[in-house]
Amino acid sequence: MYIHAFAFRWVEGTTEEQKKRAKREILALQGKIPGLLETHVGVNISPRGQGHEFGGVMKFTDKAALDAYFPHPVHQALGEWLMPLIQPLELDFDATSSTEEYKG
């Protein structure tokens, strides 16, 4: 299983409606991207967030599905309007779950 995690700092002037739209449209990727198993997003409540106000986690079946996500036309359309509004931090990793025996 592969995880794509992200955190956003909103650029100055980003409206509440734009933030709500980002949440809606990221969640709406579910069912449109092959191999995307789960999507979770929300407002960051951590005092250690270093200015990152919004974050999310996406779970993919495998690395091929994760790799296909970035150039997918639906993801690209989201990025066209969203990228000018954010300073993103992103992590992608092959995840070992606490429910699986460690394989490493």
Side-chain angles (χ1 to χ4, degrees), residues 7-85:
F8 299 163
R9 287 186 182 132
W10 300 107
V11 300
E12 188 174 335
T14 302
T15 67
E16 287 303 313
E17 183 50 43
Q18 288 169 317
K19 294 175 186 181
K20 289 177 187 176
R21 179 183 176 195
K23 182 177 181 177
R24 281 191 314 269
E25 291 197 21
I26 292 168
L27 289 171
L29 295 173
Q30 195 66 46
K32 297 176 184 171
I33 307 288
L36 176 57
L37 299 173
E38 296 178 22
T39 303
H40 305 270
V41 295
V43 174
N44 180 28
I45 60 168
S46 172
R48 300 168 304 283
Q50 300 179 10
H52 294 91
E53 299 176 41
F54 181 84
V57 178
M58 303 170 104
K59 186 165 114 177
F60 290 85
T61 54
D62 54 28
K63 187 165 186 318
L66 174 66
D67 290 344
Y69 165 68
F70 298 103
H72 192 284
V74 175
H75 179 252
Q76 291 294 309
L78 171 65
E80 284 179 23
W81 71 265
L82 181 59
M83 289 306 291
L85 302 177

